[in-house]
Amino acid sequence: MHRGTQEGAMASRLLHRLRHALAGDGPGEAAASPEAEQFPESSELEDDDAEGLSSRLSGTLSFTSAEDDEDEDDEEAGPDQLPLGDGTSGEDAERSPPPDGQRGSQLLARQLQDFWKKSRNTLAPQRLLFEVTSANVVKDPPSKYVLYTLAVMGPGPPDCQPAQISRRYSDFERLHRNLQRQFRGPMAAISFPRKRLRRNFTAETIARRSRAFEQFLGHLQAVPELRHAPDLQDFFVLPELRRAQSLTCTGLYREALALWANAWQLQAQLGTPSGPDRPLLTLAGLAVCHQELEDPGEARACCEKALQLLGDKSLHPLLAPFLEAHVRLSWRLGLDKRQSEARLQALQEAGLTPTPPPSLKELLIKEVLD
């Protein structure tokens, strides 16, 4: 009886806590401002002293919603894992009625499960997860800085390799400053690790900033208004595209291919347009590199994906180059090229593209990425 009472009390507390989490406030807490509720960790980044660092910064942080974060310590004790009395369930439980205290525990557990099933669709969808995987001190006389490498992981299949970016403190600071200027309201609740005049290269400072940068990006992704901001998209994608373009122009196709592939994966993980033509430019870079590295099958697949994105945009400057590349690669592989050939001929007869059209490589070299 005593065990059943304890289990009933535990289930009751979990149900009470889940209800408050979904309602957006914690039990027994004073009313807080919307900003404080939305970003409960924001105050943890204010203090740069080691003593003020919360233990929450010690691990990888994923931001789904403030409610999920408040209850993440109880994840293993979720409703689907609650003990149901002595382990009986279904028809066995009906044939063998448990004691009163145990029956109360089972009832509360079932209520918790039902409540979870009904409310799980109202929870915020999973956002990206950011993890600083390495931080290296770079000496580039006369400057010296720390380069933080972050893995960017989305809610896709677990076997999907994360995209990676490498940024320094000044890159994060520029992003924070630009967003503050454009979005004063939403940015008021988001903290940023302040600049230090000394001890910037100690392991302690680097570790603190690594956790702070994970939180900072997670907070930005949690706010739709900020998640779609062009400056945030530029922060993730633009440096990768510029480096890939530079390597392609100098003929370092294998190195460029890795950067184009990473840029494509970043854009897929972000799930929001990083610019009107950036996915198409990325596919152009992939197609050029695959072609130069004697992989016509992959190059053709990139062209097909680009043509799907372009649809019927007959005036787009990249349409004819992609059609021309698709025709040439299809001929080389012995595959059907009639549809692309007919579309390209129609564009040329309408005077919408020169004969022959510029190649993907020519357009890629001339493109100014800003």
Side-chain angles (χ1 to χ4, degrees), residues 80-156:
D80 292 334
Q81 299 173 1
L82 283 176
L84 297 182
D86 59 357
T88 59
S89 59
E91 295 179 358
D92 292 336
E94 292 178 6
R95 286 196 295 264
S96 303
D100 291 341
Q102 216 169 340
R103 184 161 53 247
S105 173
Q106 288 183 1
L107 178 61
L108 279 170
R110 282 195 293 270
Q111 287 178 337
L112 189 56
Q113 289 173 338
D114 292 341
F115 185 76
W116 174 259
K117 290 175 183 177
K118 291 176 182 177
S119 61
R120 67 195 311 171
N121 292 332
T122 66
L123 296 174
Q126 184 179 355
R127 302 298 178 195
L128 293 180
L129 184 147
F130 304 95
E131 180 180 4
V132 175
T133 57
S134 66
N136 300 304
V137 178
V138 178
K139 295 180 180 179
D140 186 16
S143 63
K144 179 182 176 183
Y145 57 88
V146 180
L147 193 65
Y148 299 87
T149 299
L150 292 99
V152 182
M153 294 161 279

Side-chain angles (χ1 to χ4, degrees), residues 31-307:
S33 64
E35 293 83 357
E37 291 178 2
Q38 190 174 9
F39 300 116
E41 306 91 342
S42 59
S43 61
E44 296 169 8
L45 303 186
E46 294 286 347
D47 192 352
D48 229 12
D49 298 329
E51 294 80 2
L53 184 68
S54 168
S55 60
R56 301 176 84 124
L57 300 184
S58 61
T60 301
L61 300 173
S62 173
F63 290 88
T64 57
S65 66
E67 292 81 10
D68 287 350
D69 189 56
E70 288 171 4
D71 281 346
E72 65 180 350
D73 292 337
D74 294 333
E75 188 175 348
E76 293 183 358
D80 292 334
Q81 299 173 1
L82 283 176
L84 297 182
D86 59 357
T88 59
S89 59
E91 295 179 358
D92 292 336
E94 292 178 6
R95 286 196 295 264
S96 303
D100 291 341
Q102 216 169 340
R103 184 161 53 247
S105 173
Q106 288 183 1
L107 178 61
L108 279 170
R110 282 195 293 270
Q111 287 178 337
L112 189 56
Q113 289 173 338
D114 292 341
F115 185 76
W116 174 259
K117 290 175 183 177
K118 291 176 182 177
S119 61
R120 67 195 311 171
N121 292 332
T122 66
L123 296 174
Q126 184 179 355
R127 302 298 178 195
L128 293 180
L129 184 147
F130 304 95
E131 180 180 4
V132 175
T133 57
S134 66
N136 300 304
V137 178
V138 178
K139 295 180 180 179
D140 186 16
S143 63
K144 179 182 176 183
Y145 57 88
V146 180
L147 193 65
Y148 299 87
T149 299
L150 292 99
V152 182
M153 294 161 279
D159 58 344
C160 180
Q161 289 295 317
Q164 286 194 337
I165 60 172
S166 295
R167 302 289 183 268
R168 48 193 292 189
Y169 179 91
S170 59
D171 297 321
F172 286 96
E173 186 182 40
R174 187 182 308 111
L175 172 63
H176 181 252
R177 186 171 59 249
N178 291 341
L179 292 177
Q180 269 192 325
R181 187 166 54 245
Q182 300 171 52
F183 305 95
R184 291 184 179 274
M187 288 297 294
I190 298 178
S191 296
F192 186 79
R194 64 183 179 223
K195 185 176 289 186
R196 301 174 66 109
L197 296 178
R198 56 191 182 88
R199 294 175 57 83
N200 283 309
F201 302 104
T202 64
E204 182 184 344
T205 298
I206 292 172
R208 264 204 314 268
R209 283 185 173 175
S210 297
R211 301 286 81 80
F213 289 148
E214 291 173 5
Q215 281 196 325
F216 174 65
L217 294 177
H219 282 165
L220 296 180
Q221 281 288 319
V223 182
E225 190 177 0
L226 300 175
R227 184 165 64 246
H228 300 291
D231 280 287
L232 184 58
Q233 302 300 313
D234 288 350
F235 172 84
F236 282 114
V237 178
L238 193 54
E240 314 308 306
L241 293 179
R242 284 173 173 164
R243 284 197 289 270
Q245 183 189 43
S246 176
L247 290 172
T248 304
C249 292
T250 55
L252 298 173
Y253 299 112
R254 195 166 299 281
E255 293 83 350
L257 179 61
L259 288 174
W260 287 119
N262 187 61
W264 176 257
Q265 196 165 0
L266 270 172
Q267 293 171 82
Q269 299 277 34
L270 292 170
T272 53
S274 58
D277 292 331
R278 285 180 187 171
L280 293 171
L281 288 170
T282 307
L283 288 170
L286 287 168
V288 168
C289 290
H290 280 303
Q291 187 173 343
E292 295 291 340
L293 294 170
E294 296 300 322
D295 192 350
E298 285 296 325
R300 183 178 183 273
C302 292
C303 292
E304 287 191 331
K305 194 172 296 184
L307 291 173

